[in-house]
Amino acid sequence: MFSHSLKTTLAASFLLTSGTAPAMADNLGAALVGSIIGGVIVNEANKNRARKQTVTRQKTYSPARAQNRETQTALNYFGFPAGTPDGVMGRKSRSAIAQYQGHMGFPATGELTPYERDFLVSSYSRAQIGGPQVIKAMQGPTGVRGLLLTWRDEATGVRSASSGGYGGLPFEVSEAVDEIAASADPSAEQLLQRSGFMQLADLNGDGKNDYMIDTSVSGSSFWCGASHCSVMVFASTPQGYQRNDFMARGVTTASFSCHQGVCRMTDAPAAGSVQAAAPTPAPAPAPAPGATVLASTVAPAPVPAPAPAQGLAGIQLFEQPADAPTLASLTSHCSKVSLLTSSNGGYMTVADMRDPELALGEQFCLARSYAINSGEALVAKINGVTQAQVDSQCDAFGPAVQPYLAKLGSDGAEAVISDVQKFVLQSNMSIDQLANTAGICLFSGYRRDNMDVALGAALIMVGVGQRPYAELVGHHLAQGFGVVKSADKAQGWYETAISALEAGATPAFAPGQPERVALIKAASTGLVGGLAQPVPAASTASALPTFSTD
């Protein structure tokens, strides 16, 4: 039957042509081409029909697949690769489940029990809130996986070292930092940012860093007597770090020497005398939290100083925090904002905005999350560099950009941007290098709650021409994190970012929110009760040049 149909088709094509052989040959070729094209059309029609049927099936909601997608997302977050969260628990997802079960000490069956799944998904939701515990885990050797063991042990009342140390610190040192923070107002992260709190040196000559913690700068009287404060020295050994406790004041790493894990003071004072650092009889006040983390500079050995004029001179140290107030924690603030957002049923929109400050707070914390995620991806591309080394390098942003941070409360946005651009042009780095470094340091600063680093990195991003990042500076000024709160000064930075976005600039944060620009515009205007005046786009005269990195 098929053969007869084909012959009939060919014969019909012949009848439509002239009787010459060449014409007949040409028309035969045309008929064959026509049949091929017709087949293609039919096949494409069938494919379209199949595609339409597939799309129809995808629109069907499946609670089981939605639950599976939650599981796959949580597995991927904690470093158990389950592939694309498509809701299909295939071989890759089963393998990821088995890895998760093995990590937690559960039977590695590849099939989750209800408890195992609930713990996994609830831990993922808890990690999204952030906070110091999440920050500490991210800095540890096992990353966010450590949270699972920490929260498992927490649920069972067992304390473990599974989450690792701060910034790559040994666990023994991190435990001591937590111990000190428990009796002091600053958090552990803020203590680590205080200059002089921790010093590094190779005290036993084994080629590894040893650590000295000086509790006199913690601001807690718990660790100090009438004239001395507790000093902890941690010396490296093959079995870990051994802690040595001393009572002293004004010491540095040069004041100690260690043999393996045992340390002694090289200039031990006589009984009852005060060990003071030259040239002042009393220790300097603790600096603000923006100071360099883990300062390793070894100061000269102290020399005897005159005895204090008054017997209570040593107590003055604990009256100093008024000169260096503890800054509010953005991480803690965003945790509260997240809870409020959830209780309110989601982010505020232009239509239902009731509280401009809360609306901007939601967008600030959202932008912070985007900055952390983007910077984390950049750090992952750096080979051979530890997180502690990245943090140490980023700490240079604070002092380098401090003159411009100081102007935020007094000068307008365009004036500060102009000064930062001059700084950028005088640097020895290309625009691409500065942008990459600033992106990484935004992650480092926000992850560690170091506002000087984060705010300085945001200024650099604006200075290299990425004006949508001016939104971050506006948030800092509007909310009062890392800078004196000023809704008026925040307006110029918000308007700079809004003008750039309205002119077609690529959004730096939450590109999928279509009305985000309108929301920030309305909320920032609501803070001062006036109409937003758009800032004109930067002229070509003030724009930064673009350098090729090829």
Side-chain angles (χ1 to χ4, degrees):
M1 181 184 244
F2 172 81
S3 176
H4 180 269
S5 175
L6 177 59
K7 289 179 181 178
T8 303
T9 302
L10 293 176
S13 66
F14 291 157
L15 292 174
L16 294 175
T17 64
S18 64
T20 61
M24 194 177 289
D26 290 340
N27 282 282
L28 175 61
L32 292 174
V33 171
S35 65
I36 292 172
I37 294 174
V40 171
I41 294 173
V42 171
N43 288 337
E44 286 300 314
N46 290 335
K47 289 180 182 177
N48 289 335
R49 190 178 299 110
R51 280 197 291 268
K52 290 179 181 177
Q53 292 172 350
T54 302
V55 172
T56 301
R57 286 196 298 270
Q58 288 177 344
K59 291 181 180 178
T60 303
Y61 176 75
S62 169
R65 292 191 67 170
Q67 190 179 68
N68 290 342
R69 281 193 292 270
E70 286 182 344
T71 301
Q72 290 168 325
T73 300
L75 287 168
N76 287 333
Y77 175 81
F78 287 113
F80 307 107
T84 303
D86 55 5
V88 178
M89 304 301 283
R91 182 184 304 173
K92 198 167 187 177
S93 295
R94 303 296 179 196
S95 175
I97 290 172
Q99 292 178 45
Y100 157 68
Q101 291 171 323
H103 177 73
M104 296 295 296
F106 304 140
T109 62
E111 297 283 347
L112 288 171
T113 65
Y115 169 78
E116 292 169 355
R117 183 194 177 277
D118 290 344
F119 180 81
L120 173 67
V121 174
S122 63
S123 295
Y124 170 73
S125 300
R126 183 177 177 182
Q128 297 311 294
I129 297 176
Q133 198 172 34
V134 177
I135 293 173
K136 181 179 177 181
M138 293 173 68
Q139 296 173 336
T142 60
V144 290
R145 280 191 184 186
L147 291 171
L148 294 170
L149 297 178
T150 300
W151 290 337
R152 178 202 65 187
D153 295 339
E154 179 183 287
T156 57
V158 178
R159 187 178 181 185
S160 73
S162 55
S163 63
Y166 296 97
L169 291 177
F171 173 72
E172 297 86 347
V173 181
S174 293
E175 283 285 282
V177 174
D178 283 338
E179 183 180 355
I180 297 168
S183 62
D185 289 335
S187 66
E189 289 82 1
Q190 290 169 333
L191 284 174
L192 287 170
Q193 294 171 12
R194 290 192 171 185
S195 179
F197 176 75
M198 183 175 293
Q199 299 179 35
L200 280 67
D202 184 4
L203 300 177
N204 57 9
D206 65 352
K208 297 180 180 179
N209 276 330
D210 301 310
Y211 301 81
M212 188 199 84
I213 295 179
D214 185 356
T215 64
S216 67
V217 299
S218 68
S220 171
S221 59
F222 178 83
W223 298 96
C224 294
S227 58
H228 297 75
C229 292
S230 178
V231 176
M232 307 173 190
V233 180
F234 297 83
S236 58
T237 71
Q239 293 76 36
Y241 279 79
Q242 182 171 323
R243 172 172 163 177
N244 299 261
D245 289 335
F246 301 89
M247 291 299 293
R249 184 180 292 279
V251 293
T252 68
T253 53
S255 306
F256 300 90
S257 64
C258 302
H259 176 68
Q260 296 180 354
V262 180
C263 302
R264 64 182 181 87
M265 289 188 64
T266 57
D267 52 354
S273 65
V274 178
Q275 186 72 19
T280 56
T292 302
V293 178
L294 308 183
S296 59
T297 304
V298 179
V303 297
Q310 301 178 7
L312 299 179
I315 300 179
Q316 292 178 357
L317 172 66
F318 313 116
E319 300 172 352
Q320 292 301 323
D323 296 331
T326 301
L327 299 180
S329 166
L330 179 57
T331 300
S332 175
H333 176 72
C334 285
S335 296
K336 297 173 185 176
V337 169
S338 177
L339 292 174
L340 288 174
T341 301
S342 299
S343 64
N344 291 337
Y347 287 98
M348 286 189 189
T349 64
V350 176
D352 66 2
M353 184 177 63
R354 303 171 302 279
D355 183 344
E357 187 168 355
L358 178 57
L360 289 173
E362 289 180 338
Q363 297 305 316
F364 187 10
C365 294
L366 179 64
R368 170 184 173 271
S369 297
Y370 265 80
I372 289 176
N373 291 337
S374 299
E376 189 174 22
L378 291 173
V379 171
K381 298 177 182 178
I382 304 175
N383 296 322
V385 178
T386 66
Q387 185 62 64
Q389 291 171 324
V390 170
D391 292 340
S392 177
Q393 181 174 337
C394 288
D395 284 332
F397 258 114
V401 196
Q402 189 60 46
Y404 313 107
L405 296 179
K407 294 181 179 180
L408 290 175
S410 59
D411 294 0
E414 289 300 320
V416 176
I417 292 172
S418 178
D419 289 342
V420 175
Q421 286 179 341
K422 293 174 184 177
F423 168 79
V424 167
L425 291 171
Q426 293 170 0
S427 71
N428 294 323
M429 298 173 65
S430 70
I431 296 297
D432 288 341
Q433 286 175 318
L434 279 169
N436 286 335
T437 302
I440 289 172
C441 290
L442 268 179
F443 157 66
S444 174
Y446 283 137
R447 178 179 56 80
R448 295 181 293 139
D449 230 9
N450 187 323
M451 295 298 101
D452 279 356
V453 170
L455 193 49
L459 281 177
I460 292 296
M461 293 297 276
V462 178
V464 299
Q466 300 193 29
R467 291 205 164 200
Y469 281 87
E471 175 197 328
L472 284 178
V473 185
H475 287 316
H476 279 272
L477 283 163
Q479 305 283 325
F481 287 96
V483 66
V484 176
K485 188 175 182 178
S486 174
D488 291 334
K489 292 299 180 184
Q491 295 307 302
W493 293 94
Y494 282 131
E495 291 165 0
T496 297
I498 290 168
S499 295
L501 292 168
E502 289 180 340
T506 302
F509 316 109
Q513 282 193 8
E515 68 160 14
R516 189 167 185 270
V517 176
L519 175 64
I520 292 175
K521 191 173 185 177
S524 61
T525 302
L527 283 181
V528 295
L531 296 176
Q533 299 296 325
V535 175
S539 63
T540 54
S542 62
L544 284 173
T546 301
F547 301 103
S548 174
T549 56
D550 295 337

